[in-house]
């Protein structure tokens, strides 16, 4: 039996285990499975887990569980680590390596394959896509994104109704979404917006640095008209001419974050109204309350497809999801060269969507699933507005 | 036709409109309905909305919508305002006043009734219960709480799985819940905990001031054993010997908050590990993703019951929910004197529940509804732990 090593890397999603379980179920009878613990760190240090019947069933039971059940991580892979990875795989005589992840994961996978080839070791590698912020190249979208959108869109609408009803007490809420350099998730918060009174009233994305003066005027205008404003900001948003805002987590290690608090402070100081910043938080990538059925299905299918292609001997590729050109939403799984994925780098929101939110929301529609809330207007009338937030 | 004025006050919940709609449907054919806009502020300034057919149907359509569809508020009612309220009601010749709210709402309602009586104006008053933090006296629990519990319990479990899978990168998450003086909601975050690895590992409640040294030792112990720790803290938690932590929102107005950030800072400084604080946020009181079906039903029934009692002439009372002594969960609606509710004040967690979480979780069970996630253990084994978080 051939031996395949499978792992999960980067920030988890609420459906990353569905991809893992799909893959495991597809290949468990024909392959000797070995699991990687804690992503690439586990590979560097040879932290493997044998795919016994018990472990395999436990993985399958984890299908619906958020987080990465094998352990993930953000291990910074240096050149010497790549060599160590290859050495570890060679030690256990692995025939193939499959990793579920985003941009960084695919880059590492490509490097490991090259290093193996350079040393005459024939290693089959396949990447399985995963991201909440949709910045992974080479694919129409990646599993994890649809559920994250469902979470942020529903939260934003619900919090809007809450704020609207309290606007005599509190005028501004600033909601911070994930998205380091790409505004996919932030812009998606307007997906359920139907009425002018509902938020988000302003969406700030990393692709467009923000001019303070213009921003404050816009907030003031909305407050004058609506009595309150919901502002959504992606964690990676910059003020014009400034850097992204970082927050020290420990001993000099930094993460993005803090822009929503800066906006809160600015609005309180300049407009003298009550403002409250809050992160939409880890629920964006882990909430089991808002899993999109379509996203879950695609996550699982990406894993199954990876298993099939492993058997077929496909190599140096990532499973990508591509829309067919039919009228109805339909996804083909297409192999895309890992090098192409790496070359594309972080995929930002295209100008077309930034300039035409409605087009973006139509593109999003099939990814989110059904049974989403549809509320009557916040004040008694019947007309509904378009979703453009600004 | 008699005229009844109905309004919503205080922080909204995800089911407060179900109470309003239940009441409206019950009485709309027999009473002349007048709606209060923005809670007591609307009453002080006579901001009424006539219950036309259109408005009444719009209210009924809002049944499932979070936030207070009439507008709510936190208007600070001084003595002179009570007189103004009575004057406004007299001006429109109201026969009854019904307000949906928590402790402050019931106190104001009681004062308004007294003021009316003192001036020879016969005004029937009925309070309908609502709270997310369950600190309302005179009732077993109040509508809004069960859905908030569902949100915080599910979020905490999901975020725990996410953190557990990233524990080589990040060790501590601090989740801040609502709850000014009462820890009902914070303690409820352990409701879905089944395994030692899952959070919450520590729950801090306002009823028990925290000793920094002991707390840090406990965190350290959990990290040594588990690799990561999820800490839940109620917004009103104090360090031993210190005051509650407030945050200025604007022009000297303050709200509670900041304890989770203080804990983050403390842990990073003293234990030199990565920690991240995050608020469970406004979704606690507004998320439509996590409405408990039982809570929704009880919210609606509280409104219907208020309507029935209005018709029967019951006065100076609040609708309370009381468990019957039968084996199965069953709720009786009992009228409770508004003065008793006011006298009881903010209801804190009883020592019995603080000392015996399991008893608290059993008490909670019928309020939360079914279809909650049940995950396999975070590492492959079968045994399950009790839910005690510390």
């Amino acid at each position: 039996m051939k031996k395949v090593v499978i792992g999960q890397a980067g920030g988890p999603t609420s459906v990353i285990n569905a991809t893992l379980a799909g893959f495991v179920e597809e290949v468990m009878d024909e392959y000797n499975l070995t699991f990687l613990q804690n992503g690439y760190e586990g590979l560097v240090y040879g932290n493997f887990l044998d795919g016994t019947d018990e472990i395999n069933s436990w993985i399958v039971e984890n299908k619906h569980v958020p987080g990465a059940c094998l352990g993930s991580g953000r291990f910074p892979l240096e050149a010497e680590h790549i060599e160590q990875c290859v050495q570890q795989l060679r030690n256990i005589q692995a025939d193939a390596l499959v990793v579920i992840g985003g941009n960084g994961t695919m880059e590492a996978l490509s490097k490991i394959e090259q290093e193996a080839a350079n040393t005459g070791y024939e290693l089959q590698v396949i990447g399985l896509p995963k991201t909440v912020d949709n910045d992974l190249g080479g694919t129409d979208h990646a599993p994890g994104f649809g559920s994250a959108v469902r979470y942020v869109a529903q939260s934003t609408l619900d919090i809007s109704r809450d704020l609207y009803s309290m606007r005599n007490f509190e005028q501004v809420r600033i909601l911070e979404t994930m998205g380091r350099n790409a505004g996919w998730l932030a812009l998606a918060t307007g997906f359920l917006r139907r009425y002018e009174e509902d938020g988000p009233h302003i969406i700030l994305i990393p692709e467009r640095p923000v001019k303070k003066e213009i921003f404050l005027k816009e907030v003031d205008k909305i407050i004058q008209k609506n009595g309150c404003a919901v502002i959504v900001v992606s964690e990676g948003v910059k003020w014009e001419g400034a850097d992204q805002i970082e927050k020290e987590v420990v001993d000099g290690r930094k993460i993005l974050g803090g822009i929503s608090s800066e906006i809160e402070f600015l609005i309180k100081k300049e407009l003298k109204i009550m403002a409250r910043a809050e992160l939409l938080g880890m629920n964006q990538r882990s909430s089991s309350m808002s899993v999109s059925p379509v996203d879950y299905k695609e996550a699982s299918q990406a894993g199954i497809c990876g298993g099939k292609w492993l058997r077929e001997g496909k190599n140096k590729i990532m499973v990508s999801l591509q829309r067919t050109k039919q009228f109805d939403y339909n996804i083909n799984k297409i192999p895309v060269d890992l090098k192409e994925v790496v070359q594309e780098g972080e995929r930002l929101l295209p100008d077309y969507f930034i300039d035409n939110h409605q087009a973006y929301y139509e593109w999003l529609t099939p990814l989110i699933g059904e049974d989403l809330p549809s509320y009557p207007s916040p004040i008694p009338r019947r007309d509904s507005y378009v979703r453009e937030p600004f």
Side-chain angles (χ1 to χ4, degrees), chain A:
Chain A
M1 255 191 189
K2 281 190 172 180
K3 181 181 271 188
V4 55
V5 174
I6 165 106
Q8 298 168 306
T13 76
S14 55
V15 298
I16 189 174
N17 291 330
T19 302
L20 179 66
F23 178 84
V24 168
E25 287 186 294
E26 181 63 26
V27 306
M28 61 196 288
D29 294 335
E30 294 167 68
Y31 277 79
N32 191 334
L33 275 160
T34 297
F35 298 103
L36 212 51
Q37 296 191 69
N38 303 322
Y40 286 114
E41 182 180 327
L43 189 50
V44 169
Y45 298 111
N47 191 359
F48 298 117
L49 191 67
D50 281 338
T52 60
D53 286 351
E54 193 208 14
I55 299 292
N56 292 352
S57 339
W58 173 80
I59 299 268
V60 173
E61 279 170 38
N62 266 276
K63 225 181 253 196
H64 287 277
V65 181
C69 69
L70 291 174
S72 187
R74 297 193 187 281
F75 192 76
L77 279 179
E78 308 293 340
E80 75 266 28
H81 295 134
I82 300 290
E83 290 169 28
Q84 284 173 280
C85 288
V86 172
Q87 194 51 53
Q88 295 286 3
L89 290 165
R90 200 194 282 270
N91 289 348
I92 61 163
Q93 298 180 292
D95 298 289
L97 173 66
V98 177
V99 189
I100 308 168
N103 286 307
T105 303
M106 300 308 154
E107 193 176 343
L109 207 49
S110 183
K111 284 181 183 165
I112 289 168
E113 188 280 329
Q114 270 178 314
E115 173 65 22
N118 291 345
T119 57
Y121 167 27
E122 216 174 282
L123 178 74
Q124 186 185 359
V125 304
I126 293 177
L128 302 179
K130 167 257 30 161
T131 167
V132 287
D133 41 23
N134 209 36
D135 60 355
L136 178 60
T139 183
D140 179 79
H141 60 279
F145 176 60
S147 298
V149 169
R150 207 175 155 101
Y151 183 78
V152 299
Q154 202 159 340
S155 297
T156 303
L157 178 62
D158 289 343
I159 290 174
S160 287
R161 288 298 168 109
D162 179 273
L163 177 66
Y164 191 74
S165 68
M166 292 296 275
R167 66 196 187 283
N168 285 4
F169 173 73
E170 180 172 357
Q171 290 74 47
V172 180
R173 290 219 185 113
I174 305 126
L175 306 176
E176 187 174 312
T177 67
M178 292 182 175
R180 298 178 62 81
N181 297 308
W184 296 93
L185 214 43
L187 196 57
T189 58
F191 181 71
L192 291 173
R193 186 176 197 250
R194 294 283 180 286
Y195 301 97
E196 206 180 17
E197 294 87 354
D198 282 330
H201 300 94
I202 296 180
I203 299 177
L204 306 174
I205 55 175
E207 288 87 346
R208 296 282 184 271
V210 182
K211 292 187 179 72
K212 276 188 194 173
E213 300 292 297
I214 294 179
F215 167 71
L216 281 170
K217 268 189 201 147
E218 186 63 24
V219 175
D220 193 47
K221 212 174 82 187
I222 294 159
I223 297 291
Q224 297 307 324
K225 192 175 174 194
N226 193 50
C228 62
V230 174
I231 299 164
V232 167
V233 58
S234 190
E235 59 182 347
V237 163
K238 293 176 276 209
W239 298 115
E240 201 181 48
D243 291 332
Q244 284 183 323
I245 298 159
E246 289 181 327
K247 194 179 149 179
E248 188 169 328
V249 282
V250 66
D251 281 341
R253 272 164 78 190
K254 286 175 178 177
I255 56 169
L256 283 186
I259 178 73
S260 56
S261 301
E262 280 204 11
I263 292 174
E264 174 186 322
F265 182 78
L266 183 74
I267 289 176
K268 289 194 289 198
K269 185 164 164 259
E270 300 294 334
L271 302 181
K272 309 274 180 221
I273 50 179
M274 178 158 163
R276 235 198 277 215
E278 123 178 2
L279 310 182
L280 287 178
M282 288 298 158
N283 266 335
Q284 290 170 90
R285 71 183 201 199
S286 62
S287 178
S288 62
M289 291 176 268
S290 56
V291 171
S292 150
V294 179
D295 188 33
Y296 177 81
K297 195 178 83 182
E298 290 179 354
S300 170
Q301 285 174 345
I304 294 168
C305 177
K308 286 187 177 139
W309 291 354
L310 175 73
R311 208 185 297 122
E312 292 170 12
K314 285 201 172 61
N315 194 8
K316 301 187 244 186
I317 51 103
M318 180 184 86
V319 172
S320 82
L321 310 178
Q322 306 295 347
R323 294 181 199 227
T324 59
K325 296 220 163 116
Q326 294 167 338
F327 180 72
D328 285 337
Y329 177 75
N330 204 3
I331 283 294
N332 279 344
K333 265 77 72 184
I334 307 283
V336 51
D337 198 306
L338 278 175
K339 286 220 173 79
E340 269 178 48
V341 177
V342 174
Q343 262 162 21
E344 193 179 329
E346 272 183 284
R347 195 166 58 145
L348 307 186
L349 266 173
D351 288 347
Y352 177 63
F353 284 160
I354 297 176
D355 297 334
N356 183 353
H357 297 181
Q358 200 54 41
Y360 177 48
Y361 297 143
E362 278 164 26
W363 179 87
L364 276 178
T365 301
L367 314 184
I368 317 302
E370 293 172 358
D371 296 325
L372 279 159
S374 170
Y375 299 150
S377 54
I379 55 167
R381 54 180 160 64
R382 292 290 168 272
D383 50 322
S384 126
Y385 288 73
V386 290
R387 293 188 280 205
E388 293 291 319
F390 54 87

